[in-house]
């Protein structure tokens, strides 16, 4: 009896087997981690930006001694504490407080006239200047008075909304931890020994310096967003990228792929909306207001903005924050490389040792 010829074509795998082959448990776990990052991104940004309200907006007040205490008290007593008012001796001192970043706005009160003056420095962020102007106008209208707004330090022409500092630091921060991730994936990632960790940390320094130069070129000669202070921006960029990069190396040495996710949480999901780049601390909710300047994006944005527009005023603390992250990242990475066992990479079949050919004969 003749038998039916077998079909030489391979049978398609069963649906369950196809699913297991296409989406392994490890892939599903990574997808779940990405989902958490995605939701965390939305929660953090929307939580910080969905309802900006002023709180503790610093306002220096210049007024005749007879009315100065009353004006300061009235501003401090506004519902919701939007203003933190303090007296200033005269207009010159008020202007200097603005340029030294010791106040967000200055109110010049003249009871002899029906118009007062509000001094702002919108280069520090147009949102805070606009908010101060709205508060002043609302108060003056209730008293039948007017307010004239003077901008003593506007942003550069190519930085119309004062956001270039934020986006520059954002690019540096992301570039730093992505470079660390690339080193982890490509440069001997199966066994991160102390020697390899040392090489990765050392490799971050030239990368950070080139990143700093590149960023300074883009915002300076190329686009004129932040003109001037080229070498200062180069140094700041080097420090920001180095801090982000070495922390990325350290976190991935400690936790592998999860470490990259935690770095993204720290620097992008939490650090960017709290940085003061889009809305300053006085307009952010308490949580974001509290953490902003303790993270590299916030510290970096402050250093860049105050260096370019305010001659480096009020930057020392932010610089030390960046230095602390950079030094801390190096120490953690080195300590982890010595104290934690090296992770083994994928097993490979051993290569058999060559054997001597048998004698002829």
């Amino acid at each position: 009896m003749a038998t039916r010829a077998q079909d030489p074509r391979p049978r398609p795998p069963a649906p369950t087997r196809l699913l297991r082959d296409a989406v392994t448990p490890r892939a599903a776990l990574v997808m779940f981690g990405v989902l958490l990052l995605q939701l965390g991104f939305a929660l953090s940004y929307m939580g910080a930006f969905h309802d900006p309200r002023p709180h503790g907006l610093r306002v220096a007040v210049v007024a005749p001694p007879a009315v100065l205490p009353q004006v300061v008290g009235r501003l401090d007593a506004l519902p919701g504490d939007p203003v933190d008012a303090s007296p200033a001796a005269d207009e010159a001192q008020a202007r200097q407080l603005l340029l030294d970043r010791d106040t967000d706005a200055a109110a010049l009160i003249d009871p002899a006239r029906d118009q007062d003056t509000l001094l702002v420095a919108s280069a520090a962020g147009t949102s805070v200047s606009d908010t101060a102007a709205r508060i002043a106008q609302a108060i003056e209208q209730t008293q039948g008075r007017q307010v004239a707004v003077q901008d003593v330090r506007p942003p550069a022409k190519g930085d119309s909304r004062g956001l270039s500092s934020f986006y520059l630091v954002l690019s540096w921060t992301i570039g730093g931890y992505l470079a660390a991730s690339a080193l982890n994936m490509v440069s001997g990632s199966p066994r991160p020994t102390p020697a390899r960790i040392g090489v990765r940390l050392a490799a971050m320094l030239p990368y950070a310096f080139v990143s700093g130069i590149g960023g300074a070129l883009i915002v300076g000669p190329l686009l004129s967003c932040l003109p001037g202070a080229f070498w200062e921006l180069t140094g700041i960029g080097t420090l920001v990228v180095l801090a982000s990069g070495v922390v990325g190396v350290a976190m991935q040495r400690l936790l592998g792929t999860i470490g990259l996710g935690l770095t993204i949480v720290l620097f992008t999901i939490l650090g960017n909306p709290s940085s003061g780049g889009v809305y300053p601390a006085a307009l952010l909710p308490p949580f974001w207001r509290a953490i902003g300047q303790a993270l590299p994006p916030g510290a970096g944005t402050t250093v860049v903005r105050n260096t370019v527009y305010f001659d480096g005023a009020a930057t020392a603390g932010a610089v030390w924050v960046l230095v602390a992250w950079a030094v801390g990242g190096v120490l953690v990475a080195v300590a982890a490389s010595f104290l934690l066992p090296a992770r083994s990479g994928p097993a490979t079949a051993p290569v058999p040792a060559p054997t001597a050919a048998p004698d002829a004969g």
Side-chain angles (χ1 to χ4, degrees):
M1 177 182 291
T3 59
R4 181 181 299 176
Q6 293 184 347
D7 189 348
R9 293 174 299 179
R11 294 182 179 180
T16 55
R17 181 180 176 186
L18 179 62
L19 179 61
R20 289 197 304 268
D21 291 342
V23 183
T24 64
R26 179 179 176 83
L29 185 61
V30 171
M31 289 180 66
F32 180 71
V34 171
L35 175 63
L36 292 180
L37 291 177
Q38 170 192 321
L39 297 178
F41 187 97
L43 176 62
S44 184
Y45 277 72
M46 296 305 104
F49 297 156
H50 80 288
D51 187 22
R53 297 184 182 182
H55 180 84
L57 193 70
R58 299 170 302 170
V59 177
V61 180
V62 178
V67 300
L68 181 58
Q70 300 174 12
V71 175
V72 171
R74 188 163 58 246
L75 290 174
D76 284 339
L78 290 174
D81 296 325
V83 172
D84 179 13
S86 60
D90 51 30
E91 180 178 347
Q93 185 187 38
R95 288 177 177 269
Q96 195 59 49
L97 289 171
L98 266 174
L99 298 179
D100 289 343
R101 305 312 306 135
D102 291 326
T103 191
D104 299 308
L108 310 181
I109 309 299
D110 185 0
R113 303 174 55 194
D114 61 356
Q115 178 174 282
D116 299 321
T117 302
L118 181 71
L119 305 180
V120 298
S122 61
T126 56
S127 57
V128 70
S129 300
D130 294 343
T131 300
R134 287 196 299 270
I135 293 174
Q137 290 165 356
I139 295 174
E140 297 286 12
Q141 286 177 1
T142 62
Q143 301 179 4
R145 298 173 62 83
Q146 297 179 344
V147 60
V149 179
Q150 291 185 14
D151 195 345
V152 302
R153 188 58 56 84
K157 184 177 180 181
D159 186 25
S160 61
R161 295 296 298 171
L163 295 176
S164 297
S165 302
F166 166 68
Y167 286 115
L168 177 61
V169 173
L170 172 64
S171 69
W172 280 334
T173 305
I174 293 176
Y177 67 67
L178 287 183
S181 180
L183 286 172
N184 182 65
M185 290 187 296
V186 177
S187 180
S189 58
R191 293 184 180 275
T193 61
R196 281 176 174 155
I197 290 295
V199 170
R200 294 180 199 177
L201 293 172
M204 289 306 308
L205 185 57
Y207 175 84
F209 181 65
V210 173
S211 297
I213 290 180
L217 284 172
I218 290 172
V219 299
L222 185 59
L223 299 179
S224 295
C225 300
L226 301 172
F230 176 84
W231 288 111
E232 290 88 341
L233 288 178
T234 298
I236 296 167
T238 301
L239 184 55
V240 171
V241 176
L242 191 63
S244 175
V246 299
V247 169
V249 172
M251 296 290 280
Q252 290 177 76
R253 176 59 188 92
L254 284 171
L255 301 170
T257 303
I258 297 176
L260 173 60
L262 290 180
T263 306
I264 295 173
V265 169
L266 275 175
F267 292 166
T268 300
I269 293 179
L270 295 178
N272 287 341
S274 66
S275 67
V278 179
Y279 290 120
L283 300 182
L284 294 175
F287 173 74
W288 288 267
R289 185 166 63 243
I291 67 172
Q293 292 303 304
L295 297 173
T301 300
T302 296
V303 176
V304 169
R305 183 176 281 163
N306 289 3
T307 296
V308 172
Y309 290 122
F310 300 100
D311 300 321
T315 57
V319 170
W320 280 113
V321 168
L322 294 173
V323 171
W325 279 95
V327 173
V330 170
L331 294 178
V332 170
V334 172
S337 68
F338 281 100
L339 299 178
L340 298 181
R343 299 187 305 273
S344 298
T348 55
V351 178
T355 56
D359 292 339

